[in-house]
Amino acid sequence: MTMSLVEKIADAVLYEGYILYPYRPSAVKNQQRWNFGALCPRSYSEAQGGTESWTMQTQCLVKTYPQTKLDVKVRFLHLLTREVGVPHTDCGLPLGECGHRQLAGTSEHFELVPALEVNGKLLQTWQEATEREAILPAILLDQIGSQPKALTFAFPAVETVETLRDEGSGEIAGVLVRRQQAITGVIEVSAERVVNDVCRATIQILNTTPLADAGGKSRDDALMRSFVSTHTILTVAQGEFVSLLDPPEAFREAAAGCSNIGTYPVMVGEEGACDCMLSSPIILYDYPQIAPESAGNLFDGTEIDEILTLRIMTLTEEEKREMRGADDRARQILERTETLPMEQLMKMHGAMKGVKR
């Protein structure tokens, strides 16, 4: 297994739709994000009548031997809010009444604003994300048939305040406040033998994060306690996965009996390898690849790199300024595009691909 190849595909899934062209918070298509693989708290899902999912299930077939081991890695994004604040003179009222907050370790007060310019940079309120993973390693498949395995994981709430100083005066010009809510979840793994030496492995991911008054919460509130872009990387040692898209004739009925909820497992790695699967909320084919002509992730796998690159080049200076201030990842896209060598751009145009038959 070539793990670097697998991780490139998994990262593309993880950040699909993270921010879309024209890569600015003010763009309509970036007003509602996080549409792939979102698992919200159970209470919110139930309050919404099940229209929002709180569980994800992967089922796949594994050809087993006496010492076949399965590794399960669940990856997702854990959202955080980034808010912008400006210094404010103490009005003499209690902080809760005047709407101001105090900067830790100082007597400075600040209030939150939608956007702020500091040292020529535009800073805006935005939702960022932290990569998370939970791992269940080296499970003997022969053992978990009678004793399913479970892993409980948790990530704590975090709040940080970053001070922004004016480059000229050195005084505090603003703050960036980042808040991340606590989340908890469970991964459950079980297996059953279905055909001769083939077993069906089931992996369930559950969001068990508490959410009080779930019926009165908005989707944005729930998303702050959700797993976003959730996907599972499965690897097997001394065994082989069976393709669900093109199973051998002997396993077609067993493959058709696999129930995948909110996710689609496919073979990944080098063509023909059978030791790794990616279960993704985005429908893929077996052995997907990142186009070698791609200069980097544009967070929109349904678009053509050349088209997005050319569109970015046509943005106005003001639009580029907003793009830089949106997010570090958006800024990196802009910087990469503006320094892209012509020969790299030409590689994206008119490439002829072989057709699989």
Side-chain angles (χ1 to χ4, degrees):
M1 173 182 56
T2 306
M3 201 60 201
S4 60
L5 176 58
V6 174
E7 288 175 349
K8 285 181 181 179
I9 301 297
D11 284 346
V13 169
L14 187 66
Y15 286 101
E16 177 70 13
Y18 179 84
I19 181 172
L20 299 175
Y21 176 86
Y23 301 110
R24 302 193 308 275
S26 62
V28 173
K29 63 175 68 175
N30 289 316
Q31 298 302 301
Q32 181 169 316
R33 302 157 72 205
W34 323 116
N35 296 314
F36 297 103
L39 302 183
C40 65
R42 179 176 182 173
S43 58
Y44 182 77
S45 174
E46 292 174 346
Q48 298 300 311
T51 57
E52 298 282 352
S53 299
W54 73 281
T55 66
M56 176 181 284
Q57 175 175 290
T58 295
Q59 283 192 337
C60 60
L61 301 180
V62 186
K63 190 173 182 180
T64 63
Y65 302 92
Q67 294 300 311
T68 300
K69 294 181 180 179
L70 178 69
D71 284 67
V72 178
K73 179 190 290 186
V74 172
R75 303 171 78 232
F76 59 90
L77 295 177
H78 183 184
L79 306 189
L80 61 90
T81 57
R82 184 193 70 201
E83 297 176 301
V84 183
V86 295
H88 200 285
T89 304
D90 183 3
C91 62
L93 295 174
L95 293 182
E97 294 182 18
C98 66
H100 303 161
R101 300 183 62 194
Q102 189 166 343
L103 189 59
T106 75
S107 60
E108 297 282 347
H109 293 74
F110 65 89
E111 62 177 325
L112 299 178
V113 294
L116 174 68
E117 183 173 332
V118 179
N119 301 319
K121 297 179 180 179
L122 180 65
L123 303 171
Q124 304 162 82
T125 294
W126 186 241
Q127 287 179 336
E128 298 176 345
T130 304
E131 295 180 17
R132 300 295 194 195
E133 64 179 40
I135 301 173
L136 258 170
I139 305 168
L140 277 170
L141 283 178
D142 279 348
Q143 292 182 357
I144 65 172
S146 57
Q147 294 181 320
K149 301 293 183 181
L151 172 71
T152 298
F153 60 88
F155 296 97
V158 177
E159 178 172 329
T160 63
V161 179
E162 176 187 349
T163 58
L164 307 169
R165 294 188 178 275
D166 183 273
E167 292 177 350
S169 66
E171 295 181 353
I172 295 177
V175 295
L176 291 179
V177 183
R178 291 180 171 88
R179 297 191 191 90
Q180 197 165 46
Q181 302 296 325
I183 54 174
T184 59
V186 176
I187 305 170
E188 296 178 349
V189 182
S190 59
E192 60 176 332
R193 197 157 299 279
V194 289
V195 179
N196 299 326
D197 57 350
V198 172
C199 76
R200 178 183 291 120
T202 301
I203 300 91
Q204 290 187 310
I205 308 166
L206 303 87
N207 186 339
T208 57
T209 307
L211 180 60
D213 187 27
K217 301 296 185 184
S218 67
R219 184 173 185 269
D220 278 346
D221 290 330
L223 281 172
M224 299 311 298
R225 297 165 178 83
S226 297
F227 317 152
V228 174
S229 296
T230 311
H231 59 278
T232 307
I233 299 175
L234 304 171
T235 55
V236 67
Q238 299 184 50
E240 298 176 7
F241 288 111
V242 176
S243 170
L244 298 186
L245 294 179
D246 187 23
E249 186 62 38
F251 305 138
R252 287 191 182 278
E253 184 176 348
C258 289
S259 175
N260 288 285
I261 302 172
T263 189
Y264 308 87
V266 297
M267 311 287 272
V268 286
E270 298 291 344
E271 186 85 26
C274 299
D275 58 350
C276 190
M277 269 193 155
L278 171 65
S279 190
S280 158
I282 298 169
I283 298 175
L284 301 171
Y285 47 83
D286 282 341
Y287 307 110
Q289 296 182 30
I290 301 296
E293 297 84 8
S294 177
N297 200 342
L298 292 165
F299 307 136
D300 191 352
T302 64
E303 265 288 11
I304 299 172
D305 278 23
E306 181 187 26
I307 292 175
L308 286 176
T309 300
L310 292 172
R311 285 176 174 173
I312 293 168
M313 289 178 173
T314 64
L315 293 175
T316 66
E317 289 305 312
E318 182 58 31
E319 289 170 334
K320 290 179 180 179
R321 180 169 171 268
E322 186 181 351
M323 183 176 173
R324 288 190 188 94
D327 186 276
D328 281 346
R329 293 185 175 91
R331 175 182 54 77
Q332 290 165 9
I333 290 175
L334 180 59
E335 291 176 352
R336 185 176 70 235
T337 301
E338 291 187 321
T339 58
L340 192 68
M342 181 56 67
E343 57 269 25
Q344 181 67 42
L345 179 60
M346 294 305 295
K347 284 181 181 180
M348 301 180 193
H349 179 69
M352 182 67 71
K353 303 292 184 183
V355 179
K356 294 181 181 180
R357 296 186 183 276

